[in-house]
Amino acid sequence: MLDFRTNTFLTVCETMNFTEAAKRLNITQPAVSQHIRFLENEYNTQLFLYHNKQLYITQTGKVLKKRLMTMRNDQLSILEEMKSVSGDIELLSIGVTMTIGEYAVVDRIADFMNHHPDMNLHIHFGNTSQLLSLLDEGKINLALVEGNYPKDRYGHMNYSTEDYIGVCKVSHTFLKKNPKTMNDLKNERLIVRESGSGTRNILEELLLARGMEISDFERYIEVENMHTIIGLLKRDCGISFMYKIAVADELESGVLKEIKLSDFKMQHDFDFIWEKDSIYTDKYIKICKELSISK
């Protein structure tokens, strides 16, 4: 079990301020300093340093922070596991991005739960950056994300690989006839997800590789919901870029169409991720394999 000094250290990491950490922990600032000095002596390293009156965490401090956060989150999982032993009901918390949760994983979750009637499941929706925060804070066990993430910081397993396409209403009239490249579309109204969304993150990287950015589009609509984006596309309010799986029905029925460009062809992975080096890694891998559509 983590002791009070490691809790102090993690609180300082969150606040990057000894005074604020003391307030949160309801202890004195000298006590905070004492706890940090104890850990620095214990690990024979400097964990924080000041530069121009600003507190910074050292490289060894970052290592300790990551390891202790993993241990803290495992401790929370142990508590839940012990509760499930006494109550015969296990709890699993999974975070999913909007596109995945609405279009790519429902059937597999249904099958999984039918095979595990003794399990309670919490499904959290959020964009990729929000889910990473929930995972770091130990509020979810696993996340299934569509956007980019630092792979060296997390355990991970591929769920599927999906086509990422441009899309518009089948009857849409382009301002520049017969567009061939991304640059030919910048006069169009772009319908885009909010910052932090995996779907938007992929688009931003694609544009950057072509020397462009979202602000190059003269008009845009920013939307935090994929259903709304699809509804706007069906009413010919603009163009968008998204995973093909999200509009598979509309493409098949001929309501929407793919925008085919000579400089645009993209696939991207949907990945399961969890806390790197967690003591529950083997369990998470087993769950991921069971939920995977490639099973």
Side-chain angles (χ1 to χ4, degrees):
M1 179 177 290
L2 301 181
D3 71 8
F4 59 92
R5 287 165 294 213
T6 56
N7 187 41
T8 298
F9 170 74
L10 290 174
T11 304
V12 173
C13 290
E14 291 175 8
T15 62
M16 292 308 295
N17 185 291
F18 278 34
T19 302
E20 181 60 30
K23 289 180 181 178
R24 288 195 186 185
L25 295 167
N26 198 28
I27 60 177
T28 65
Q29 183 173 333
V32 170
S33 300
Q34 184 182 37
H35 294 172
I36 298 303
R37 281 198 301 272
F38 174 88
L39 292 173
E40 289 179 330
N41 291 332
E42 183 74 12
Y43 292 104
N44 192 30
T45 189
Q46 186 174 8
L47 299 174
F48 299 97
L49 56 84
Y50 279 98
H51 181 67
N52 294 332
K53 298 183 179 181
Q54 177 68 45
L55 185 67
Y56 294 91
I57 188 169
T58 64
Q59 289 301 314
T60 52
K62 290 178 181 178
V63 172
L64 183 62
K65 174 187 175 183
K66 177 59 182 172
R67 298 305 181 190
L68 290 180
M69 286 181 67
T70 299
M71 292 170 65
R72 181 189 65 182
N73 296 340
D74 279 344
Q75 183 172 298
L76 294 174
S77 296
I78 290 171
L79 290 172
E80 290 296 337
E81 184 178 7
M82 293 175 70
K83 289 179 184 178
S84 69
V85 169
S86 60
D88 297 323
I89 298 292
E90 184 179 0
L91 173 64
L92 177 68
S93 295
I94 298 179
V96 295
T97 59
M98 299 296 183
T99 299
I100 292 174
E102 293 175 350
Y103 303 103
V105 77
V106 174
D107 290 341
R108 294 306 303 151
I109 287 178
D111 291 342
F112 180 83
M113 294 309 298
N114 286 334
H115 285 92
H116 296 275
D118 56 344
M119 180 180 288
N120 286 337
L121 180 65
H122 287 178
I123 302 177
H124 302 260
F125 279 80
N127 62 40
T128 299
S129 61
Q130 290 168 340
L131 295 181
L132 292 177
S133 294
L134 290 175
L135 197 60
D136 291 340
E137 294 165 8
K139 294 180 179 178
I140 56 177
N141 306 115
L142 293 166
L144 183 50
V145 300
E146 63 193 78
N148 294 318
Y149 61 93
K151 289 193 174 183
D152 60 322
R153 285 179 48 197
Y154 299 94
H156 52 88
M157 177 183 292
N158 180 254
Y159 174 70
S160 67
T161 301
E162 303 293 338
D163 291 329
Y164 187 87
I165 65 171
V167 63
C168 64
K169 186 171 183 178
V170 70
S171 60
H172 181 75
T173 300
F174 292 99
L175 293 175
K176 183 171 184 177
K177 291 185 178 181
N178 301 318
K180 301 296 183 184
T181 67
M182 291 281 283
N183 193 62
D184 292 337
L185 296 174
K186 64 183 182 181
N187 293 326
E188 301 290 331
R189 179 187 287 117
L190 178 67
I191 309 175
V192 64
R193 284 287 304 274
E194 79 284 359
S195 295
S197 161
T199 301
R200 176 172 176 145
N201 178 252
I202 300 302
L203 175 60
E204 288 173 333
E205 290 199 354
L206 286 168
L207 291 172
L208 182 62
R210 291 157 179 78
M212 300 174 62
E213 54 189 28
I214 288 176
S215 62
D216 288 332
F217 288 82
E218 295 183 356
R219 298 167 295 160
Y220 71 90
I221 306 174
E222 186 173 286
V223 184
E224 297 182 7
N225 178 279
M226 188 60 70
H227 281 299
T228 301
I229 291 178
I230 295 171
L232 292 171
L233 288 171
K234 289 160 74 172
R235 290 163 179 79
D236 202 18
C237 291
I239 67 169
S240 192
F241 293 85
M242 64 184 63
Y243 291 100
K244 190 173 183 177
I245 192 172
V247 286
D249 291 342
E250 288 78 9
L251 292 172
E252 185 176 354
S253 65
V255 176
L256 301 179
K257 68 178 180 180
E258 181 178 350
I259 304 171
K260 303 210 173 171
L261 304 170
S262 62
D263 67 341
F264 179 84
K265 187 172 179 61
M266 178 70 185
Q267 288 186 319
H268 202 271
D269 291 336
F270 289 178
D271 283 355
F272 285 109
I273 61 174
W274 60 88
E275 283 266 48
K276 187 175 182 179
D277 299 324
S278 167
I279 62 173
Y280 289 94
T281 291
D282 290 343
K283 174 183 177 180
Y284 295 153
I285 290 175
K286 182 178 179 181
I287 291 171
C288 294
K289 286 181 177 178
E290 192 169 348
L291 281 168
S292 175
I293 61 176
S294 62
K295 181 183 174 184

